[in-house]
């Protein structure tokens, strides 16, 4: 509640209620489908945090968390071997965004949070968080495939070219085709994120 008065008596009282973003439930479902565990650390009162956590099916929800307490919680998760992605939008989130392994700032949030974020969501959809995680995983897979192909090709082709088994023109053509294969494989990432 917010009270308005002249110092002697109250003139008006304003009630505010937090509403969930329309896509919050679906966004968290997408993150869980990727195998992620969702935690909530908020500076808000325990009742509000418990209510939101219940509506979002979040098991671990911490209330009345200062920026230092949020950062300590992230550090504790990291000490247990967890890779932590933090999503935040406020000035108080900047220290913990900077301390997370991956930090995602909401574009409509505070400028300081945006500067601390590795990723800044430019749209209003929370679904982009899961899309970014999915794209990062696909990118890692393609990088590994490309490195594997390049290593295998060079282990076979270089000795063959050096020993004269393969003529230089064929080795050069093979290298160009290998580079083309790696490039085409990387271009698969341009497909729309599911």
């Amino acid at each position: 509640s917010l009270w308005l008065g002249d110092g002697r008596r109250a003139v008006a009282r304003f009630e505010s209620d937090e509403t969930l973003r329309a896509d919050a439930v679906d966004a968290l479902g997408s993150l869980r489908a990727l195998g992620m565990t969702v935690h909530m650390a908020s500076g808000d009162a325990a009742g509000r945090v418990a209510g939101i956590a219940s509506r979002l099916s979040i098991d671990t929800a911490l209330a009345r968390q200062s920026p230092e307490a949020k950062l300590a919680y992230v550090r504790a998760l990291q000490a247990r071997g967890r890779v932590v992605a933090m999503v935040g939008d406020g000035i108080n989130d900047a220290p913990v965004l900077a301390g997370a392994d991956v930090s995602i700032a909401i574009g409509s949030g505070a400028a300081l949070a945006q500067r601390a974020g590795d990723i800044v969501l430019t749209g209003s959809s929370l679904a982009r968080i899961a899309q970014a995680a999915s794209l990062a995983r696909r990118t890692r897979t393609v990088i590994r495939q490309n490195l594997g192909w390049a290593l295998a090709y060079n282990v076979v082709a270089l000795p063959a070219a050096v020993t004269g088994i393969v003529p230089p023109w064929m080795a050069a053509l093979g290298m160009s085709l290998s580079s083309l294969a790696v490039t085409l494989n990387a271009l698969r990432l341009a497909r729309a994120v599911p």
Side-chain angles (χ1 to χ4, degrees):
S1 293
L2 177 65
W3 291 88
L4 176 66
D6 62 5
R8 290 175 286 175
R9 62 181 164 70
V11 177
R13 182 178 94 176
F14 301 94
E15 290 290 330
S16 65
D17 188 26
E18 291 188 15
T19 58
L20 289 179
R21 293 174 67 125
D23 61 347
V25 172
D26 291 338
L28 293 183
S30 296
L31 291 172
R32 289 182 181 110
L34 290 171
M36 296 182 187
T37 303
V38 179
H39 300 250
M40 180 177 172
S42 173
D44 290 340
R48 279 194 169 177
V49 171
I52 296 291
S54 174
R55 291 164 62 192
L56 294 174
S57 302
I58 298 174
D59 295 330
T60 305
L62 307 173
R64 294 284 185 209
Q65 296 291 294
S66 66
E68 296 81 13
K70 291 178 186 179
L71 183 57
Y73 186 65
V74 165
R75 296 283 189 235
L77 289 171
Q78 291 169 329
R80 293 193 328 234
R82 302 285 179 88
V83 175
V84 178
M86 165 67 181
V87 179
D89 65 351
I91 293 171
N92 291 337
D93 293 328
V96 70
L97 285 167
D101 296 299
V102 177
S103 54
I104 304 167
I106 305 296
S108 59
L112 186 59
Q114 291 176 15
R115 280 195 285 280
D118 298 316
I119 299 169
V120 177
L121 295 181
T122 56
S124 60
S125 175
L126 295 176
R128 293 185 177 267
I129 298 169
Q131 290 172 348
S134 179
L135 179 60
R137 288 180 178 182
R138 288 176 47 217
T139 300
R140 181 180 56 200
T141 298
V142 167
I143 289 170
R144 287 179 178 162
Q145 290 169 348
N146 286 348
L147 288 174
W149 168 254
L151 178 65
Y153 176 81
N154 286 318
V155 164
V156 171
L158 281 177
V162 168
T163 59
I165 297 172
V166 174
W169 68 268
M170 191 178 283
L173 179 62
M175 183 58 79
S176 296
L177 292 175
S178 175
S179 296
L180 180 62
V182 165
T183 301
L184 291 174
N185 190 36
L187 286 175
R188 293 185 311 128
L189 293 171
R191 287 192 330 229
V193 176

